[in-house]
Amino acid sequence: MVIGGGRCRSLQLLFVFILLSLCMKPAVGLSTGDEDADIKCIERERQALLMFKQGLIDEYGHLSSWGNEDDKKDCCKWRGVSCSNQTGHVTMLNLQFRSYMPLRGNISSSLIGLQHLNYLNMKYNDFGGKQIPAFIGSLKNIRHLDLSNAGFTGRVPYQLGNLTSLQYLDLSFNFDMLSKKLEWLSQLSFLEYVRLNQVNLGEATDWLQVVSQLPSLTELQLRGCNLPSVIASSSVSFSNSSRSLAHLDLSLNDVSNSVYYWLFNSSSSLVYLDLSSNKLQGPIPDSAFPNPTSLSYLDLSNNQLVSVPKSFRNLCRLRALYQDSNNLTDLLPNLFLKLSNCSRDTLEILQLNSNMLRGSLPDITLFSSLKELHLYDNMLDVLYLNNNRFTGTLTKSIGQLSQLELLDVASNSLKGMITEAHLSNLSRLTYLDLSHNSLILNFGSGWVPSFELNIIRLGACKQGPQFPKWLQTQNKFSELDVSAAEISDTVPNWFWDLSPNLYYLNLSHNHFTGMLPDLSQKFTAYPPEIDLSANSFEGPIPPIPLTVTSLILFKNMFSGSLSFLCQISDEHFRYLDLSDNLLSGELPNCSKNWQKLTVLNLANNKFSGKIPDSMDFNCMMLSLHLRNNSFIGELPSSVKSFTQLTVLDLGHNKISGIIPAWIGDSLPDLVVLSLRSNNFHGRVPVQVCHLQRIQVLDLSQNNISGTVPQCLNNLTAMTANKSSNAMIRYPLRTDYYNDHALLVWKRKDSEYRNTLGLVKSIDLSSNRLYGEIPEVTSLVGLISLNLSKNSLTGPIPSKIGGLTLLNSLDLSKNMLMRAT
Ligand SMILES: *[C@@H]1O[C@H](CO)[C@@H](O)[C@H](O)[C@H]1NC(C)=O
Ligand SMILES: *[C@@H]1O[C@H](CO)[C@@H](O)[C@H](O)[C@H]1NC(C)=O
Ligand SMILES: *[C@@H]1O[C@H](CO)[C@@H](O)[C@H](O)[C@H]1NC(C)=O
Ligand SMILES: *[C@@H]1O[C@H](CO)[C@@H](O)[C@H](O)[C@H]1NC(C)=O
Ligand SMILES: *[C@@H]1O[C@H](CO)[C@@H](O)[C@H](O)[C@H]1NC(C)=O
Ligand SMILES: *[C@@H]1O[C@H](CO)[C@@H](O)[C@H](O)[C@H]1NC(C)=O
Ligand SMILES: *[C@@H]1O[C@H](CO)[C@@H](O)[C@H](O)[C@H]1NC(C)=O
Ligand SMILES: *[C@@H]1O[C@H](CO)[C@@H](O)[C@H](O)[C@H]1NC(C)=O
Ligand SMILES: *[C@@H]1O[C@H](CO)[C@@H](O)[C@H](O)[C@H]1NC(C)=O
Ligand SMILES: *[C@@H]1O[C@H](CO)[C@@H](O)[C@H](O)[C@H]1NC(C)=O
Ligand SMILES: *[C@@H]1O[C@H](CO)[C@@H](O)[C@H](O)[C@H]1NC(C)=O
Ligand SMILES: *[C@@H]1O[C@H](CO)[C@@H](O)[C@H](O)[C@H]1NC(C)=O
């Protein structure tokens, strides 16, 4: 394979070198008496190395073979050191160890003593933000210099420009490393490999001028360098290095369309080109990829390209094309035509996720070597597939792709029925994602597929009403999604033992019935995420795998207590949603398991007793829903420790006491606070007005007295009429958990799930508030204000008319007067 040839070569070098130094080691132990004859090490260089070692902190003993003891005399046998077997000079210093076992400390200038060094590698060490020492520039024989991933900071010393023998230079992935000019590179005419990833070249306007004149340049990596844009001009191009430049990575910069003018016209030698995450916009000019081109790897993802150019027809060596997350609106069949002219037998990976590609999924058997096809999140359909020149239907053409390993066409508008005959030849398939289309899967009950899948994602593919029996033939899968598949069945017992690798199980939104078996010994490979929500499972919640990370069981008929909860280990446990079941009893006192919980939703059950005060120190909790149970007692002060809490819904319980003042100061991220329908008394604490992000404040149906605080006017999030994000959601492993809340909207309960982040509402109704309504003129973002059923007096504030977004205003059942 040509891809990454440069990298392979240097790896090989390194490998040979490591082998050599491994082979040499035993010689030290074996050698007897007549040692001095063997010793090649030059004393002056030995001292230089020892002094260099003195400056280092060697926590992992990498340099334990470096020493003064008799059996360590020969520095040419030290780990990482190689000498010339003719002159005895130290020629190579290879200090690359594992990234998590770095050397630290200082780089002593004694290294200057190693004037014959031609190889210096310090990759993966940690020099804690020091600058690259300028004296390295005086090691003039160095050909290979690797100071990448080594914790250096600051300016690249221009003295490196004295290393006139340099062929390989890697300064990538340090911190805040900077070079204001690249002029220092320009004299290094032997340079073949230049890797300056993440070196800030924002001011180095000469970069292109310099690198384009390096006559031997083979590989140039400038990922994330903040490259300044280069003005199109005929004087800059890669024409002088065009014979050699094979690998070019300019990803993660703000490179714009002008790149075409100096790049494509002169780069027929390019094999690997990465322009991902830049500012390429609109169409690529048709002249971009001149004929012929050796391009094998092309990454254009994360730009704003709108189409693929005609010149894709010339990519006769193309093996991988990545063009995800652009604005491609091509008809997929046209795109395939362009690509298949020339790369039909070479293309292995085609990745076009998250575009706006239209049309049908054409005959992909055009590409005889295709291994991966990613078309997730586009606008594909198959409406006019059957009667055109593409042979067969979507499914038949898939069926002939016997090399295919990955098929991902999720989230399109594909329609039609897939039968076992259509998948029977895909014996290499390991990844199948057909989710969120309008596909019907119709497999016979005795079907034995020829593939063994790792990833099975069939969400919203209709497969019911029976449980998909073909799954019994699969026992390597780690992810299984058969959510919303219209299955009305029990889960057969054999299912739970099918795959020991399973860590993502989504059976949600079907009509599964029956009880769950003891699951504590299943899913043991990796912390599992289990979503069985929106079914009709019943009985107690069984023992669950101890390492569970998400347990989402809402909308079922589970009953009994939460006794299973105390076995779960807190290490991975993040999401627990048991809402809308028939669970009862008190919350167990095993708060230790809740220390990293992010979402706890127990709403709409029959829990009772006090909310335990022991779930302290959880600062990860984002969402706590206990609505509609029978909790009693006061709001426990442990909630104070949920310092990132975003949604707190305790409505419809029997919680009493005052609304604690700390709610305003300890929970600064609250967006939704609902204490509706409880027994809170006392005043609304003014600290509530410190909640800068609050958008839903519902304290209705309590016994709250006192006046409506004037400071409500300070609720910043409600003063903005711009909306925040529509959804309040938190990341699951592969999806999001959408938070939601029940609000009373025009006297009706309404659930807000996809638009919760847009709602801005204050409800203080059905309390014992008195006094006048304050001027809440700043709350221009407010959509609903309900102060009804209190004892408010005085006039209706005249400026309330300024709240122009207000959609629902209820001041009824008070003792208000009309304004005069
Ligand atoms: C590295 O140099 C600094 C400053 O000269 C010194 O304080 C520190 O002790 C040195 N570290 C080692 C391991 O020698
Ligand atoms: C020097 O060592 C290299 C390998 O390290 C070997 O190939 C070469 O033959 C040796 N030369 C002499 C003169 O020993
Ligand atoms: C680099 O070379 C120049 C002139 O050839 C010399 O003046 C300078 O001292 C050298 N720098 C280093 C660090 O060797
Ligand atoms: C290419 O090299 C020639 C001769 O070395 C030089 O005159 C010319 O300016 C160079 N062109 C570019 C674009 O660097
Ligand atoms: C390539 O060069 C030719 C002539 O030098 C020019 O007409 C064409 O526009 C250039 N192509 C690109 C993509 O810049
Ligand atoms: C690409 O799509 C994004 C988001 O849909 C849009 O903001 C942008 O203007 C589009 N760019 C082009 C060049 O069409
Ligand atoms: C198709 O590819 C061939 C090389 O196989 C090339 O010569 C030809 O120009 C391409 N056809 C078109 C229409 O681009
Ligand atoms: C599967 O492969 C066989 C033999 O190569 C072929 O005859 C058959 O048409 C293929 N089936 C499908 C659905 O492509
Ligand atoms: C709950 O457990 C904690 C220790 O984990 C203990 O201090 C506390 O007394 C317990 N509470 C009850 C009500 O058992
Ligand atoms: C409260 O929860 C019960 C189940 O315990 C459910 O039947 C009822 O509909 C819920 N009420 C509301 C208003 O959601
Ligand atoms: C509300 O804002 C005003 C003016 O910015 C400030 O003086 C007052 O202290 C704030 N009140 C509260 C309770 O934060
Ligand atoms: C399970 O699938 C449903 C519907 O496809 C989706 O909404 C939900 O987020 C998935 N659950 C998890 C844990 O990913």
Side-chain angles (χ1 to χ4, degrees), residues 514-516 536-542 557-560 581 583:
M515 313 225 300
L516 296 179
S536 303
F537 287 110
E538 59 189 351
I541 298 176
M557 297 187 298
F558 288 110
S559 55
N581 277 289
L583 297 161

mmCIF file of all heavy atoms in Angstrom, residues 514-516 536-542 557-560 581 583:
data_model
loop_
_atom_site.group_PDB
_atom_site.id
_atom_site.type_symbol
_atom_site.label_atom_id
_atom_site.label_comp_id
_atom_site.label_asym_id
_atom_site.label_seq_id
_atom_site.Cartn_x
_atom_site.Cartn_y
_atom_site.Cartn_z
ATOM 1 N N GLY A 514 -43.171 -9.443 29.206
ATOM 2 C CA GLY A 514 -42.514 -10.465 30.018
ATOM 3 C C GLY A 514 -41.560 -9.858 31.031
ATOM 4 O O GLY A 514 -41.406 -8.643 31.132
ATOM 5 N N MET A 515 -40.914 -10.761 31.774
ATOM 6 C CA MET A 515 -40.012 -10.328 32.832
ATOM 7 C C MET A 515 -38.574 -10.476 32.341
ATOM 8 O O MET A 515 -38.290 -11.237 31.430
ATOM 9 C CB MET A 515 -40.190 -11.206 34.074
ATOM 10 C CG MET A 515 -41.643 -11.403 34.462
ATOM 11 S SD MET A 515 -41.933 -11.212 36.210
ATOM 12 C CE MET A 515 -40.926 -12.466 36.919
ATOM 13 N N LEU A 516 -37.675 -9.780 32.995
ATOM 14 C CA LEU A 516 -36.268 -9.887 32.636
ATOM 15 C C LEU A 516 -35.585 -10.891 33.560
ATOM 16 O O LEU A 516 -35.872 -10.924 34.754
ATOM 17 C CB LEU A 516 -35.563 -8.534 32.805
ATOM 18 C CG LEU A 516 -36.032 -7.390 31.907
ATOM 19 C CD1 LEU A 516 -35.241 -6.135 32.239
ATOM 20 C CD2 LEU A 516 -35.864 -7.753 30.441
ATOM 21 N N SER A 536 -43.379 -3.056 27.269
ATOM 22 C CA SER A 536 -44.307 -3.475 28.320
ATOM 23 C C SER A 536 -43.671 -4.533 29.197
ATOM 24 O O SER A 536 -44.318 -5.504 29.587
ATOM 25 C CB SER A 536 -45.595 -4.022 27.695
ATOM 26 O OG SER A 536 -46.171 -3.054 26.858
ATOM 27 N N PHE A 537 -42.394 -4.373 29.481
ATOM 28 C CA PHE A 537 -41.755 -5.288 30.423
ATOM 29 C C PHE A 537 -42.405 -5.137 31.790
ATOM 30 O O PHE A 537 -42.826 -4.043 32.173
ATOM 31 C CB PHE A 537 -40.252 -4.979 30.543
ATOM 32 C CG PHE A 537 -39.457 -5.389 29.342
ATOM 33 C CD1 PHE A 537 -38.908 -4.430 28.492
ATOM 34 C CD2 PHE A 537 -39.234 -6.735 29.054
ATOM 35 C CE1 PHE A 537 -38.169 -4.807 27.372
ATOM 36 C CE2 PHE A 537 -38.485 -7.120 27.939
ATOM 37 C CZ PHE A 537 -37.960 -6.152 27.102
ATOM 38 N N GLU A 538 -42.448 -6.243 32.530
ATOM 39 C CA GLU A 538 -43.075 -6.168 33.852
ATOM 40 C C GLU A 538 -42.258 -6.938 34.877
ATOM 41 O O GLU A 538 -41.209 -7.504 34.554
ATOM 42 C CB GLU A 538 -44.503 -6.709 33.794
ATOM 43 C CG GLU A 538 -44.567 -8.144 33.315
ATOM 44 C CD GLU A 538 -45.997 -8.588 33.044
ATOM 45 O OE1 GLU A 538 -46.936 -7.847 33.384
ATOM 46 O OE2 GLU A 538 -46.162 -9.685 32.483
ATOM 47 N N GLY A 539 -42.744 -6.963 36.093
ATOM 48 C CA GLY A 539 -42.027 -7.647 37.162
ATOM 49 C C GLY A 539 -40.931 -6.764 37.730
ATOM 50 O O GLY A 539 -40.788 -5.603 37.344
ATOM 51 N N PRO A 540 -40.153 -7.321 38.647
ATOM 52 C CA PRO A 540 -39.112 -6.519 39.277
ATOM 53 C C PRO A 540 -37.955 -6.246 38.323
ATOM 54 O O PRO A 540 -37.746 -6.995 37.371
ATOM 55 C CB PRO A 540 -38.650 -7.384 40.447
ATOM 56 C CG PRO A 540 -38.985 -8.771 40.042
ATOM 57 C CD PRO A 540 -40.204 -8.694 39.169
ATOM 58 N N ILE A 541 -37.219 -5.202 38.589
ATOM 59 C CA ILE A 541 -35.972 -4.970 37.845
ATOM 60 C C ILE A 541 -34.947 -5.934 38.421
ATOM 61 O O ILE A 541 -34.677 -5.907 39.621
ATOM 62 C CB ILE A 541 -35.501 -3.518 38.000
ATOM 63 C CG1 ILE A 541 -36.562 -2.579 37.419
ATOM 64 C CG2 ILE A 541 -34.173 -3.310 37.279
ATOM 65 C CD1 ILE A 541 -36.245 -1.115 37.595
ATOM 66 N N PRO A 542 -34.401 -6.817 37.577
ATOM 67 C CA PRO A 542 -33.521 -7.862 38.095
ATOM 68 C C PRO A 542 -32.141 -7.298 38.433
ATOM 69 O O PRO A 542 -31.860 -6.150 38.114
ATOM 70 C CB PRO A 542 -33.424 -8.823 36.909
ATOM 71 C CG PRO A 542 -33.513 -7.929 35.723
ATOM 72 C CD PRO A 542 -34.481 -6.840 36.111
ATOM 73 N N MET A 557 -43.677 -1.467 32.733
ATOM 74 C CA MET A 557 -44.526 -1.756 33.882
ATOM 75 C C MET A 557 -43.730 -2.456 34.974
ATOM 76 O O MET A 557 -44.223 -3.348 35.643
ATOM 77 C CB MET A 557 -45.715 -2.598 33.444
ATOM 78 C CG MET A 557 -46.590 -1.846 32.443
ATOM 79 S SD MET A 557 -48.110 -2.685 32.035
ATOM 80 C CE MET A 557 -47.509 -4.160 31.307
ATOM 81 N N PHE A 558 -42.475 -2.065 35.103
ATOM 82 C CA PHE A 558 -41.655 -2.640 36.164
ATOM 83 C C PHE A 558 -42.238 -2.252 37.523
ATOM 84 O O PHE A 558 -42.683 -1.119 37.713
ATOM 85 C CB PHE A 558 -40.215 -2.128 36.075
ATOM 86 C CG PHE A 558 -39.454 -2.693 34.916
ATOM 87 C CD1 PHE A 558 -39.095 -1.903 33.839
ATOM 88 C CD2 PHE A 558 -39.094 -4.046 34.905
ATOM 89 C CE1 PHE A 558 -38.393 -2.433 32.758
ATOM 90 C CE2 PHE A 558 -38.380 -4.584 33.829
ATOM 91 C CZ PHE A 558 -38.036 -3.775 32.758
ATOM 92 N N SER A 559 -42.203 -3.210 38.437
ATOM 93 C CA SER A 559 -42.717 -2.933 39.776
ATOM 94 C C SER A 559 -41.686 -3.370 40.809
ATOM 95 O O SER A 559 -40.626 -3.889 40.460
ATOM 96 C CB SER A 559 -44.042 -3.665 39.983
ATOM 97 O OG SER A 559 -43.854 -5.043 39.730
ATOM 98 N N GLY A 560 -42.012 -3.172 42.070
ATOM 99 C CA GLY A 560 -41.089 -3.562 43.126
ATOM 100 C C GLY A 560 -40.174 -2.412 43.505
ATOM 101 O O GLY A 560 -40.404 -1.268 43.109
ATOM 102 N N ASN A 581 -43.012 3.982 35.513
ATOM 103 C CA ASN A 581 -43.175 2.575 35.833
ATOM 104 C C ASN A 581 -44.045 2.469 37.073
ATOM 105 O O ASN A 581 -44.720 3.442 37.447
ATOM 106 C CB ASN A 581 -41.793 1.936 36.057
ATOM 107 C CG ASN A 581 -41.134 1.544 34.741
ATOM 108 O OD1 ASN A 581 -41.566 0.599 34.091
ATOM 109 N ND2 ASN A 581 -40.105 2.285 34.339
ATOM 110 N N LEU A 583 -42.855 1.393 40.097
ATOM 111 C CA LEU A 583 -41.898 1.089 41.165
ATOM 112 C C LEU A 583 -42.298 1.782 42.455
ATOM 113 O O LEU A 583 -42.913 2.846 42.446
ATOM 114 C CB LEU A 583 -40.499 1.558 40.724
ATOM 115 C CG LEU A 583 -39.981 0.830 39.486
ATOM 116 C CD1 LEU A 583 -38.860 1.603 38.824
ATOM 117 C CD2 LEU A 583 -39.515 -0.579 39.862
#
